Amino acid sequence: MSTVTASPAAVAPSLRRLYFVRFGFAIVWAGLLIATASSLGPISVTLLVLYPLFDGVAAVVDARSSKAAGPALSLYVNIAISWGTAIGLAFAASSGIPAVLRVWGAWAVVSGLIQLAVGVIRRNMAGHWPMIISGAVSTVAGTSFVLQAAQQGASLVNLAGYATLGGLFFLASALRLGRVTSGL
């Protein structure tokens, strides 16, 4: 029995599409959150829960599309953590913005470390250096959200900036993966 391993060029087109979708989602989500971030109302809470749910779905798509390229254990861990975070955010929202920032911050740290690991595993693919950097940035940003939760006037607006920056990293990865698909 033999195992066939997909080359980075074979996996790149599906990851590229996924990363473009993730970029678009992040930008739209950030704009909507900014418009509703002044308080924890039904729309902002829905947006807060939706973001990690979407992240989990994107990890499912990623794991399925790149299964032949190697082990996806870290992606499966990310799915569980993201979906658990969505539940945690739903409960945290009833306690206020600081509780939301603590849950979001913890998720950003853990998912950032996972993203960093996935990026390192896939570093031979042209588009994953931005993911490595993004994972490191997410870890630092998550720590800052937890620290911000303890301060007076904690706000959800910084989460929109976090999503926007993450979206830009996905765009950079998608564009770099374009080099793989075109043979550059």
Side-chain angles (χ1 to χ4, degrees):
M1 180 173 182
S2 64
T3 306
V4 177
T5 303
S7 70
V11 176
S14 59
L15 288 179
R16 186 170 193 245
R17 284 188 299 274
L18 175 63
Y19 293 168
F20 276 129
V21 169
R22 291 194 75 168
F23 163 72
F25 176 83
I27 298 304
V28 170
W29 182 90
L32 292 171
L33 186 68
I34 287 172
T36 62
S38 60
S39 66
L40 283 172
I43 295 173
S44 60
V45 171
T46 300
L47 288 168
L48 290 168
V49 171
L50 182 62
Y51 196 91
L53 285 176
F54 181 83
D55 186 68
V57 169
V60 168
V61 172
D62 188 338
R64 286 184 178 166
S65 65
S66 60
K67 187 176 253 179
L73 178 61
S74 54
L75 290 170
Y76 293 124
V77 170
N78 188 51
I79 293 163
I81 291 169
S82 292
W83 290 347
T85 298
I87 294 166
L89 285 168
F91 285 106
S94 66
S95 297
I97 291 175
V100 167
L101 289 173
R102 284 184 197 96
V103 171
W104 191 284
W107 174 54
V109 168
V110 173
S111 65
L113 291 172
I114 292 169
Q115 185 178 35
L116 183 60
V118 170
V120 168
I121 289 166
R122 294 178 175 171
R123 69 187 173 278
N124 62 331
M125 293 177 71
H128 284 84
W129 283 104
M131 291 294 98
I132 293 170
I133 297 166
S134 176
V137 168
S138 182
T139 303
V140 171
T143 303
S144 75
F145 295 142
V146 172
L147 294 173
Q148 181 190 358
Q151 296 176 355
Q152 195 74 342
S155 169
L156 298 174
V157 173
N158 289 337
L159 301 182
Y162 169 78
T164 300
L165 184 58
L168 292 172
F169 278 116
F170 277 113
L171 176 62
S173 286
L175 294 173
R176 289 185 53 93
L177 281 170
R179 292 182 181 178
V180 172
T181 58
S182 66
L184 296 178

